Amino acid sequence: MPTPQRIRGRWRHGCPLLLGVSLIAACAPPARPPQFAPREQAPLAGTPTGQASWPQDEWWKRYHDPQLDRLMDLATRDSPDLEQAQARYTAAQRAVDAQAAQLNPQVRGYFDAAHAYSKIDTHMPAGAAASSQSIHINPEHHWANDGLGAALFTWDLDLWGKQKAAVAQAIGQANAAKAERAMAANSLHYSVARSYFDWQNQQARLALAKQAAQHASTYRTLEAMRVHAGLDDPQLLDRADAQVAEQLRNQASLEGASALDMAQLAAVTGVSVQTLGTLQAYALPATNADIPPYAGLELIARRPDIVASRWQIEASVKGIDSARAAYYPDVSLLGLGAYLRLYPNLGSGMRANALLGNVGASMNLPIFSGGRLKAQLENQQAQLDEAVASYNRTVVQAAHDVAEQVTTLQQLRAEQTQIERQLADVDSQNRRADRRRRQGLDDDRTWLGLQLQLDQQRDAQVQLDGQLLATHLGLIYALGGGYHDANVPALPAGRATAQDASQ
């Protein structure tokens, strides 16, 4: 059996270890927050899909329009929005470097030099008895110089992964900033294409308006001749004048809308209207109402705003890991080297030189923090809850945007069919009226009236084509505008393990 001396020896050696284990156990963080379950795909069930491909990176080049390509280059060259997004991304990258540098050892130097002055003077009180051993202090002036040079080596071992989690959190925020930069580029490209094609649509309508104004003017000339000849009622001439005024008003309205589109293009591209130069009018390109298959699943990696929200969740998760690791003690390696020199020492005439060195480890225990650690952990949990809610809202909004554009395209397609039928009917009547006019059976007024109706139907068709193209551009924007990130982190809903639950 162990003797009392052995028991006391074991207690003496085991007491520090037991105390250290107890202190570490006392610093254990609260239980890990419950796992969350963000949406794994966009709710697009019921939305018709087709065999359409996803937009490419430079999707506007599919239209083979050199003018549009030049406008895109102008917009991306000096865009304030892109510069701001790039600045945020650069700042986030520097934050990653700053956090990663905390894992490296560091050496700090300290240097001190001083020039000291001293004068000591003593006075004995009157009547005081002299001591048996008198102390003699020289009352003269004395000067002293001293110098100190030291170097301190520190290295945080990060045994519990607090700093590594902080680095991962910064990386998540940097990736979110990168996706936000792509979102800014997507918005810019969409705005340029929308303004440019709207200008093209206004040019087509303006050409029809000028043609209709000419037809109305010719009609009014014929009506004036008949009224002056006493063949028609003067009220018919008033109606012809009103029709001419209406066509001229429509022409002026379209010219103003065209000028406004040019101003918007200049504002989006960040240049003046003169720098844009003279643009040529072209026919609008064809559109497609389909969306790619598996859009509900792949949209998670195709929309830059969804990717940014997903990286914010990852950053918040790492922030919780860092806040939990802060409950554990910090263990660091320390090294100190110093050289001290004093001369003379208070007038003694002696010089002192000291060389110091120390190597060891230190442990910092957060025994009592006044609620700081708990507040930090709860703050990180609140940020995670906010990030998850923002992510889910972004996914739902993205699905709504896609479904809305697809539904609008289908509706416009149905309207296009009806307008084409009406246009065909008016065109058939116009051809018959032209044959009767050439045969001398009808005067030109009947044919000109049908021409005005035909111009009106053609204008309605051009307007609908513009709406179709604008909605198609909105669908490209809603699908992410050619963005794709293959490195989106996996959703953490299934990360919970028995070990995580016990921590």
Side-chain angles (χ1 to χ4, degrees):
M1 295 183 63
T3 62
Q5 291 80 4
R6 291 183 178 179
I7 293 177
R8 286 194 297 269
R10 292 177 180 177
W11 173 256
R12 190 166 55 249
H13 289 87
C15 182
L17 179 60
L18 180 61
L19 179 60
V21 173
S22 300
L23 290 175
I24 294 177
C27 298
R32 184 181 295 274
Q35 292 295 315
F36 54 91
R39 292 179 176 268
E40 297 182 0
Q41 60 181 354
L44 281 172
T47 303
T49 59
Q51 299 300 321
S53 60
W54 287 92
Q56 299 299 319
D57 187 19
E58 295 180 340
W59 51 267
W60 57 89
K61 291 188 175 180
R62 64 192 295 182
Y63 304 120
H64 305 288
D65 191 336
Q67 290 184 143
L68 181 58
D69 296 342
R70 183 177 66 87
L71 291 175
M72 288 294 183
D73 293 338
L74 285 175
T76 55
R77 187 180 306 167
D78 299 317
S79 171
D81 293 337
L82 291 184
E83 290 178 356
Q84 184 180 14
Q86 179 62 39
R88 288 196 296 265
Y89 176 53
T90 302
Q93 287 181 314
R94 300 293 80 79
V96 173
D97 297 338
Q99 290 293 344
Q102 300 296 325
L103 293 170
N104 300 327
Q106 58 179 330
V107 178
R108 289 176 292 178
Y110 177 79
F111 300 93
D112 181 35
H115 184 61
Y117 167 78
S118 64
K119 180 181 179 182
I120 302 177
D121 195 5
T122 58
H123 298 277
M124 298 295 293
S131 60
S132 58
Q133 295 181 355
S134 60
I135 301 177
H136 175 71
I137 299 179
N138 192 350
E140 295 180 357
H141 301 276
H142 299 281
W143 301 90
N145 300 311
D146 62 82
L148 174 64
L152 177 63
F153 167 84
T154 59
W155 187 12
D156 187 355
L157 299 181
D158 194 31
L159 297 181
W160 318 108
K162 178 179 68 174
Q163 193 57 40
K164 294 183 180 66
V167 173
Q169 181 182 12
I171 292 176
Q173 293 172 348
N175 288 327
K178 181 180 180 181
E180 291 173 355
R181 181 186 63 178
M183 186 64 186
N186 187 24
S187 300
L188 179 64
H189 297 153
Y190 167 70
S191 299
V192 172
R194 176 95 183 244
S195 299
Y196 172 74
F197 283 120
D198 189 72
W199 180 85
Q200 293 283 10
N201 185 251
Q202 299 298 340
Q203 294 304 303
R205 293 189 62 199
L206 184 59
L208 289 174
K210 291 179 179 180
Q211 181 178 333
Q214 184 178 0
H215 289 157
S217 179
T218 304
Y219 185 95
R220 191 264 179 201
T221 301
L222 295 176
E223 192 63 51
M225 294 173 59
R226 293 182 63 86
V227 169
H228 292 159
L231 299 177
D232 285 339
D233 191 334
Q235 291 184 353
L236 296 178
L237 182 59
D238 295 337
R239 295 178 183 176
D241 289 336
Q243 192 173 37
V244 171
E246 177 66 21
Q247 296 300 330
L248 292 177
R249 185 197 63 81
N250 184 39
Q251 179 179 341
S253 176
L254 291 174
E255 289 175 349
S258 178
L260 181 60
D261 284 335
M262 289 294 291
Q264 290 178 345
L265 267 177
V268 172
T269 55
V271 298
S272 63
V273 178
Q274 290 76 11
T275 306
L276 290 179
T278 302
L279 300 179
Q280 300 295 326
Y282 299 120
L284 297 180
T287 59
N288 188 356
D290 295 335
I291 62 175
Y294 311 109
L297 181 62
E298 292 189 17
L299 193 63
I300 299 297
R302 297 281 184 172
R303 286 265 299 210
D305 53 348
I306 296 179
V307 175
S309 298
R310 179 62 196 89
W311 278 112
Q312 289 292 352
I313 291 179
E314 187 72 10
S316 299
V317 170
K318 297 304 181 181
I320 290 179
D321 293 341
S322 179
R324 293 184 75 253
Y327 279 83
Y328 296 105
D330 292 331
V331 180
S332 302
L333 296 179
L334 299 177
L336 175 65
Y339 177 75
L340 175 64
R341 184 171 186 180
L342 300 174
Y343 61 95
N345 189 7
L346 293 178
S348 63
M350 298 180 60
R351 297 185 178 183
N353 298 320
L355 183 62
L356 305 176
N358 184 23
V359 176
S362 68
M363 183 173 62
N364 182 14
L365 297 175
I367 299 175
F368 178 75
S369 61
R372 295 177 179 85
L373 297 180
K374 181 180 179 182
Q376 292 175 4
L377 182 59
E378 292 177 349
N379 179 46
Q380 293 294 332
Q381 179 62 43
Q383 292 183 16
L384 175 60
D385 296 339
E386 180 183 2
V388 173
S390 177
Y391 170 83
N392 291 334
R393 180 185 62 82
T394 304
V395 172
V396 173
Q397 183 61 43
H400 175 268
D401 294 342
V402 173
E404 181 181 14
Q405 302 302 326
V406 172
T407 304
T408 304
L409 281 171
Q410 291 177 337
Q411 178 184 354
L412 294 175
R413 290 290 189 191
E415 294 181 10
Q416 189 180 41
T417 303
Q418 298 299 326
I419 288 181
E420 288 176 352
R421 292 177 180 176
Q422 295 176 3
L423 182 61
D425 293 340
V426 175
D427 185 60
S428 177
Q429 296 177 20
N430 181 266
R431 288 196 300 269
R432 288 196 299 267
D434 184 54
R435 286 196 300 269
R436 292 177 63 85
R437 178 177 67 91
R438 293 178 182 275
Q439 295 172 0
L441 301 176
D442 289 332
D443 60 19
D444 291 345
R445 292 180 304 162
T446 303
W447 176 77
L448 288 173
L450 290 175
Q451 278 294 114
L452 288 172
Q453 294 183 22
L454 186 62
D455 293 336
Q456 184 178 4
Q457 291 296 324
R458 287 174 177 171
D459 181 71
Q461 186 182 39
V462 171
Q463 288 188 63
L464 187 60
D465 291 342
Q467 295 176 6
L468 278 167
L469 183 56
T471 307
H472 178 67
L473 295 176
L475 178 59
I476 293 177
Y477 174 77
L479 292 175
Y483 175 82
H484 183 260
D485 190 351
N487 297 321
V488 180
L491 292 171
R495 289 184 178 178
T497 60
Q499 180 180 1
D500 294 336
S502 63
Q503 290 182 352

